[in-house]
Amino acid sequence: MDPETERIFGVVKANVVKVLTGLDPALVTIERSLTELGANSVDRVEVVLYSAEDLGLDVPRAELHGARNLADLVAVLRRHAGR
Amino acid sequence: MEPAAPASFPRVVISGRGFVGGPGTGYPALVAALRADRSAIRAVAGGPRVPALGAPADFAAEEWLAALAAAEPDVAARARRLLRNVPRPALLGAAAAHEAAHEAGLGPDAPGAPGTGVIVAGSNLAQDWGFANAGAVLAGRSPNPRHAIVYADSHQVGAVSELLGWRGPGLTAGAAAASGHAALFQAWLWLRAGVVERCLVLGAATGFSPVEAEAFALLGAAAPAASLAELGGPFDRRHAGFVAGEAAAAVVLEAEPAARARGAVPRGCLAGAALLLGARHGPEPDVDDEERAMRRALAAAGLNAGNIDLVSAHATGTPAGDRAECAALRRVFAGELGRVRVNAPKDLTGHTFSSAGVVAVLACLAQMEGGFLHGHAHLAEPIDDQLRLVRRAEPAQIRTALVNGFGFGGFAAALVLTPA
């Protein structure tokens, strides 16, 4: 994982742990999906919104709908962070 | 027509009690405050047009969750997840509901527990949450991601159901300040009709935003007193409006045979209930409607005014409301006025709106069980010298109580409590 991906994944992971109260942080790996980790539809929106806020990004929601796992989410966030 | 209860209807008993409010966290904290006439009303951060008195709850969610984790780790883990990022009334409500369920012995694995019904008393419970989200959207930010779920009052019904693992019927019941009465009335009907064997009624805490605070002040319904020294409480000549209180209050109601069969301890009986409209939508109290509600609740219980020891008055401290209730009490109790005792719990808890009826029921159960009457903290000169108001707490054997509850919109309601 390159440093920028690692930085963004770190932000996402912190929000996953915050939203999914009681989840073991070790389970949050980049190939997992939020659904696999126990997130419901509202939890998923929270993770995305808070991560974008923490990174200072305004990401159109349509771009996030295709994300299948955390790696996809990180990729979308990274694309915006690079702009 | 006054419908009489067929003998085949089961008695409805109360087997669990829970409270979180200005007087403290837990039903025993409420009882202690009532015994000492200790009012939770204090100075709060007001504004130029907003009252400077209130009775907020000092609820420490983390302490509550930690205590719960020590006793019931699974329930605590669920609570922690369920109650993250939700409006404050849902937190207080969960704590009160859990306390009542726990006292009733209705843990997730208790026989019969899964069929328990849930009725949350109140509407528009989280106005402050909506106000904050409106501010975010107006400022160009996203609303809270949970808003679409938790803005609805019915969210609390689902949260209690999930917390306690119950799958019976559930809904909210709204009737303004008579919402607690409406919910208890509905649960009473379900139990008598055999729809459920047990039902939790949660009087939800009401989270007003600055908009409601200003609107009530504008109507003259909220007390304008700037300091406690100036405050006239319910039935006091200086009364000039209500003081808002914050409380969630819960009771578990059960059909008596089902309660006894599982060894539950009945704490009192909800013997009669009435909820009526007044063919008017405004805030004005109506003596006729209040009289009708009291008489109907007494008839439903098979009792008359001569059987009642205590009236827990609706009495919020608004001059029109207090005066109308005095007039209605004079009619209903007539020759019994010199005997029946009257007190107003809102002087000690503040006016807790959605939960007020459930708070008053808890106050009556406390007095019936504890052998005392609570008095008042802000009653110097009564508006009516015929009512036998309890001035200061005193020992007394109370067997029966009539609990009044009235709400803007023309709601008049009354409940009758008798010994278990």
Side-chain angles (χ1 to χ4, degrees), chain A:
Chain A
M1 210 184 292
D2 64 89
E4 180 63 355
T5 301
E6 199 158 343
R7 179 180 79 89
I8 292 172
F9 178 60
V11 169
V12 170
K13 181 171 175 171
N15 282 302
V16 171
V17 172
K18 182 173 97 178
V19 168
L20 302 178
T21 310
L23 181 70
D24 178 0
L27 295 175
V28 187
T29 53
I30 199 160
E31 71 281 359
R32 303 294 288 270
S33 77
L34 284 167
T35 305
E36 282 171 355
L37 292 169
N40 63 27
S41 59
V42 182
D43 297 333
R44 293 198 297 274
V45 175
E46 279 191 279
V47 168
V48 170
L49 187 75
Y50 298 154
S51 299
E53 277 177 4
D54 289 349
L55 293 163
L57 306 175
D58 189 9
V59 183
R61 271 151 232 190
E63 287 190 37
L64 294 157
H65 284 160
R68 288 160 301 143
N69 59 11
L70 293 177
D72 288 353
L73 172 59
V74 168
V76 173
L77 292 170
R78 184 172 176 176
R79 209 158 57 235
H80 281 267
R83 285 176 187 172

Side-chain angles (χ1 to χ4, degrees), chain B residues 131-212:
Chain B
F131 183 77
N133 277 282
V137 171
L138 286 170
R141 299 194 304 273
S142 289
N144 189 303
R146 303 198 82 80
H147 185 75
I149 309 302
V150 302
Y151 87 92
D153 301 323
S154 46
H155 163 254
Q156 278 206 50
V157 181
V160 169
S161 158
E162 183 171 340
L163 180 68
L164 299 169
W166 293 347
R167 296 159 182 269
L171 46 72
T172 63
S179 291
H181 281 69
L184 287 160
F185 177 65
Q186 183 64 45
W188 183 75
L189 294 175
W190 279 0
L191 285 156
R192 281 159 54 100
V195 173
V196 289
E197 289 190 326
R198 50 194 63 84
C199 183
L200 179 125
V201 169
L202 169 59
T206 307
F208 285 148
S209 80
V211 178
E212 286 71 43

Side-chain angles (χ1 to χ4, degrees), chain B residues 34-410:
Chain B
L34 295 171
R35 277 187 179 281
D37 297 335
R38 191 169 61 243
S39 179
I41 295 172
R42 55 186 162 94
V44 296
R49 288 176 294 181
V50 175
L53 298 175
D58 291 321
F59 178 65
E62 272 307 316
E63 279 175 32
W64 175 69
L65 285 165
L68 189 59
E72 298 174 71
D74 292 353
V75 178
R78 199 151 61 230
R80 203 171 267 289
R81 182 129 188 231
L82 258 175
L83 301 173
R84 184 189 53 77
N85 197 7
V86 296
R88 179 173 159 87
L91 276 172
L92 274 61
H98 180 269
E99 185 188 8
H102 187 264
E103 184 183 47
L106 291 174
D109 303 324
T116 305
V118 176
I119 304 180
V120 169
S123 308
N124 316 105
L125 300 174
Q127 298 291 95
D128 49 350
W129 168 283
F131 183 77
N133 277 282
V137 171
L138 286 170
R141 299 194 304 273
S142 289
N144 189 303
R146 303 198 82 80
H147 185 75
I149 309 302
V150 302
Y151 87 92
D153 301 323
S154 46
H155 163 254
Q156 278 206 50
V157 181
V160 169
S161 158
E162 183 171 340
L163 180 68
L164 299 169
W166 293 347
R167 296 159 182 269
L171 46 72
T172 63
S179 291
H181 281 69
L184 287 160
F185 177 65
Q186 183 64 45
W188 183 75
L189 294 175
W190 279 0
L191 285 156
R192 281 159 54 100
V195 173
V196 289
E197 289 190 326
R198 50 194 63 84
C199 183
L200 179 125
V201 169
L202 169 59
T206 307
F208 285 148
S209 80
V211 178
E212 286 71 43
E214 288 215 22
F216 280 119
L218 198 60
L219 276 192
S227 73
L228 278 178
E230 294 171 25
L231 179 67
F235 296 133
D236 183 79
R237 283 194 188 281
R238 293 192 300 172
H239 60 176
F242 66 77
V243 176
E246 182 186 39
V251 290
V252 173
L253 303 173
E254 294 194 64
E256 185 174 32
R260 302 234 183 244
R262 68 182 189 89
V265 182
R267 311 286 174 174
C269 172
L270 178 56
L275 173 70
L276 298 169
L277 295 171
R280 63 201 161 76
H281 77 283
E284 297 79 12
D286 187 283
V287 179
D288 290 342
D289 293 340
E290 296 181 7
E291 178 188 1
R292 281 195 305 135
M294 285 188 260
R295 289 193 190 283
R296 193 158 178 147
L298 286 167
L303 300 176
N304 57 50
N307 302 120
I308 297 297
D309 296 331
L310 169 67
V311 174
S312 184
H314 178 69
T316 64
T318 62
D322 289 1
R323 279 196 302 268
E325 190 167 10
C326 285
L329 287 170
R330 279 167 176 256
R331 288 190 195 169
V332 172
F333 286 92
E336 302 287 336
L337 267 190
R339 181 191 56 80
V340 70
R341 305 307 304 272
V342 179
N343 57 21
K346 291 179 185 69
D347 195 21
L348 305 181
T349 62
H351 187 356
T352 63
F353 284 83
S354 293
S355 63
V358 187
V359 171
V361 164
L362 291 179
C364 288
L365 293 173
Q367 293 169 92
M368 291 162 69
E369 185 170 278
F372 72 100
L373 286 163
H374 78 74
H376 296 86
H378 309 98
L379 176 60
E381 208 183 329
I383 55 167
D384 188 328
D385 56 14
Q386 304 242 326
L387 293 190
R388 209 167 156 226
L389 290 165
V390 185
R391 303 295 287 268
R392 306 299 302 170
E394 60 181 77
Q397 294 309 311
I398 299 300
R399 285 180 51 81
T400 55
L402 178 70
V403 182
N404 283 343
F406 313 128
F408 288 178

